[in-house]
Amino acid sequence: MRIKRHPILTFERGREITFDFEGRKIKAYEGESIAASLHAAGIRVLSESLRFHRPRGFFCAIGKCSSCLMEVDGVPNVRTCIEPVRPGIKVRRQKGGIGRINIEVEKKIHQKPELETVKTDIAVVGGGPAGLSAAIYGAKYGARIVVVEENPRLGGQLIKQTHKFFGSHSQFASVRGIEIAERLSGEIPGDKVDIITHSSVVGYFPEEKTLIAYGEGKLIKIVPERLIVATGAQENFLPFEGNDLPGVYGAGAIQTLMNVYGIIPGNKVLMVGAGNIGVIVSYQLLQAGVKVAAIVEAMPKIGAYQVHASKVARAGVPIYTRHTIKKAIGKEKVEGAVIVALDEKWNEVPGTERELEVDTICLAIGLTPSTELLSQAGCEMRYIPELGGPVPWHDEDLETSVSGIYVAGDASGIDEASTAMLEGRLTGVAAAEDLFGATKTTRKEKEEIIRALDELREGPFGERVRIGKQKLLTGGAR
Ligand code: FES
């Protein structure tokens, strides 16, 4: 399952190690997640459903869906998709999906819980394109910053994006996402920004204006003057028979497996969704040597940029518009799929069912903003379909209805990584202004960022977000 040759990527694997999976010795490389190592060893079933004990594999691979919870060294409910492998660990599946707390293990781990308190000007939750940009620009205008990221690596979704970006030079046009992640990480001024990785923010306490993060056996209390939430988004799911079978993966999970860890998700894939993500990931699958049996798209038209769609069409991948997946076939994992045509009213057309022999089904059907922390902080939420669902109300500076709390990137409404970076910059400048006062330079910087955002959202591809943001702004805070 490991990719040996790739046209763009070289995989520098860490030291070879072994760990124990239910009595079986598994080979892995340091730096991989437990779920990725298990997948490379051919193990797709990581968990089971609560009630009917149906097999479950991972789905999001970024710590957001809980379908990969396993017991690791006696500790239950570990998100194995973001938990790095370590030599000699013992990993096992949990009966009934949810693990039980082992008091002895708990006592050992939490005998002396370490609690660290950190005070800072600005806390940034999320180390993706928006969060890193916010940190760079907040620091540029004099703020001390703490960035908390739950994955072991910085860069968010950029670290798996091998395609080149569009836009202008200042938005990294013609640069691959993986390189942008490196450049942003390299621009972080180490004397002003503290980075905490592999730690999840588990709560915000509005009265104390305090965040609590947990990671690597440590609790961290973060008390910021201002807060920027750049928590990104989570993959949407689709109801169809067998959609919980191991082998039904989100597009981001497949990119993580292939482009971060150099592991193929399977041998033959059905892609559901012909938007930019579905088509780009299909091309990346072909680059990794995986067959793409078909792409199905429920809409009458392909949503992706023509340049991407032409590439997969040239490679011989059929794209069926007005089609969807009807069911996944298989007992323990995906062994096939049935697709079906849809009429203008989105009803299945009887007799058009077609069975495809695939071992992986990839869902690329959109994203929903990850806004739990903002809700918890008391920010006023609005349901704006054009922005992907529930988003916090925010003004032009991306400040929410709670004074001093800003939102940037996909958490403010689903859009491209280029606009996420601009929104991150804007919140960094705005939060610094809020702390130290506006100057001619900060005002000019904000104007330029807003102009660049407007330019990126011009034209038919930006229309959806343009309308969504307009709805938010004209609605005002209640
Ligand atoms: S939380 Fe691990 S796969 Fe989603």
Side-chain angles (χ1 to χ4, degrees):
M1 304 290 278
R2 292 184 189 277
I3 302 170
K4 300 241 165 46
R5 260 199 315 275
H6 193 283
I8 295 168
L9 302 167
T10 46
F11 301 105
E12 284 169 23
R13 305 192 200 279
R15 186 169 63 103
E16 188 178 313
I17 57 167
T18 57
F19 69 96
D20 178 284
F21 168 67
E22 299 182 343
R24 192 174 143 188
K25 211 182 211 190
I26 304 290
K27 188 172 96 175
Y29 295 95
E30 273 180 340
E32 286 178 348
S33 69
I34 294 172
S37 305
L38 289 171
H39 188 90
I43 297 155
R44 285 190 174 204
V45 182
L46 308 181
S47 180
E48 59 180 34
S49 67
L50 288 179
R51 190 148 169 221
F52 297 114
H53 304 277
R54 288 175 58 82
R56 292 274 160 85
F58 64 82
F59 176 70
C60 75
I62 51 169
K64 294 199 178 189
C65 75
S66 312
S67 75
C68 64
L69 298 184
M70 299 180 88
E71 189 184 290
V72 179
D73 280 343
V75 178
N77 304 328
V78 175
R79 290 174 294 175
T80 54
C81 69
I82 55 169
E83 186 66 25
V85 278
R86 299 181 302 279
I89 50 169
K90 287 191 169 15
V91 178
R92 63 181 203 92
R93 287 178 277 222
Q94 303 175 151
K95 288 267 162 285
I98 293 285
R100 311 273 174 265
I101 287 174
N102 177 332
I103 298 296
E104 289 315 306
V105 175
E106 277 294 301
K107 272 194 213 154
K108 216 161 77 191
I109 297 171
H110 293 126
Q111 226 171 14
K112 287 187 198 145
E114 259 184 78
L115 177 65
E116 194 184 318
T117 301
V118 179
K119 289 195 173 157
T120 186
D121 293 329
I122 302 173
V124 179
V125 183
L132 292 181
S133 304
I136 294 164
Y137 275 69
K140 181 175 170 184
Y141 290 100
R144 281 211 57 85
I145 318 264
V146 171
V147 179
V148 191
E149 164 58 47
E150 66 182 347
N151 281 279
R153 277 174 69 179
L154 289 176
Q157 304 311 299
L158 291 172
I159 62 169
K160 55 185 88 161
Q161 293 178 351
T162 55
H163 62 281
K164 291 181 179 171
F165 276 48
F166 296 141
S168 64
H169 179 68
S170 66
Q171 270 87 63
F172 301 101
S174 300
V175 184
R176 298 185 197 282
I178 40 175
E179 277 174 65
I180 299 174
E182 279 166 25
R183 286 198 201 174
L184 290 179
S185 303
E187 278 179 41
I188 298 270
D191 57 333
K192 295 213 184 91
V193 180
D194 289 323
I195 306 274
I196 304 168
T197 52
H198 197 202
S199 298
S200 304
V201 169
V202 290
Y204 179 75
F205 296 85
E207 296 78 28
E208 292 89 13
K209 295 192 173 156
T210 295
L211 292 164
I212 297 291
Y214 176 76
E216 306 195 335
K218 220 165 43 174
L219 274 177
I220 308 164
K221 185 173 158 189
I222 303 164
V223 192
E225 296 290 329
R226 301 290 181 274
L227 172 63
I228 298 174
V229 178
T231 40
Q234 53 217 24
E235 301 264 5
N236 289 344
F237 208 59
L238 194 64
F240 58 90
E241 188 181 327
N243 66 358
D244 60 344
L245 277 175
V248 177
Y249 302 142
I254 286 192
Q255 284 186 302
T256 303
L257 265 185
M258 280 191 311
N259 302 343
V260 177
Y261 299 122
I263 297 166
I264 55 168
N267 294 310
K268 207 167 179 192
V269 176
L270 167 67
M271 178 64 64
V272 182
N276 269 330
I277 295 182
V279 173
I280 288 171
V281 174
S282 296
Y283 190 66
Q284 292 172 355
L285 283 159
L286 297 172
Q287 287 179 313
V290 179
K291 289 203 174 78
V292 180
I295 303 176
V296 288
E297 168 59 59
M299 300 293 281
K301 277 200 323 213
I302 295 168
Y305 292 132
Q306 192 55 42
V307 56
H308 298 310
S310 304
K311 278 202 224 170
V312 292
R314 277 200 301 275
V317 177
I319 305 180
Y320 302 113
T321 52
R322 280 220 179 281
H323 274 71
T324 192
I325 180 167
K326 187 179 172 77
K327 70 170 173 179
I329 302 167
K331 279 209 167 69
E332 286 286 302
K333 57 187 181 178
V334 171
E335 287 160 21
V338 176
I339 61 169
V340 65
L342 298 171
D343 65 19
E344 313 73 55
K345 292 188 175 148
W346 309 96
N347 295 315
E348 294 178 3
V349 181
T352 60
E353 292 85 356
R354 205 175 325 176
E355 193 172 318
L356 301 176
E357 206 184 293
V358 293
D359 60 6
T360 305
I361 295 165
C362 178
L363 301 187
I365 50 163
L367 302 165
T368 297
S370 293
T371 54
E372 297 83 353
L373 197 62
L374 292 150
S375 298
Q376 200 182 41
C379 299
E380 188 187 312
M381 305 298 288
R382 299 274 174 84
Y383 186 83
I384 310 273
E386 291 86 351
L387 297 180
V391 287
W393 178 87
H394 54 265
D395 64 14
E396 217 184 18
D397 278 354
L398 297 157
E399 188 170 14
T400 66
S401 60
V402 176
S403 174
I405 299 186
Y406 297 78
V407 61
D410 278 349
S412 83
I414 305 299
D415 202 355
E416 303 283 332
S418 323
T419 49
M421 286 185 271
L422 286 169
E423 286 199 344
R425 291 179 195 177
L426 183 59
T427 54
V429 184
E433 256 189 355
D434 204 14
L435 283 167
F436 312 120
T439 64
K440 220 166 126 190
T441 325
T442 57
R443 279 193 216 102
K444 189 159 172 267
E445 182 93 77
K446 283 198 325 186
E447 272 169 31
E448 279 169 15
I449 297 170
I450 291 170
R451 196 167 33 246
L453 268 171
D454 290 343
E455 276 168 18
L456 278 180
R457 288 173 179 153
E458 265 173 8
F461 281 101
E463 191 185 9
R464 178 186 51 80
V465 181
R466 235 173 25 237
I467 294 172
K469 293 278 181 179
Q470 202 53 41
K471 277 189 185 173
L472 263 187
L473 282 173
T474 47
R478 287 182 194 117

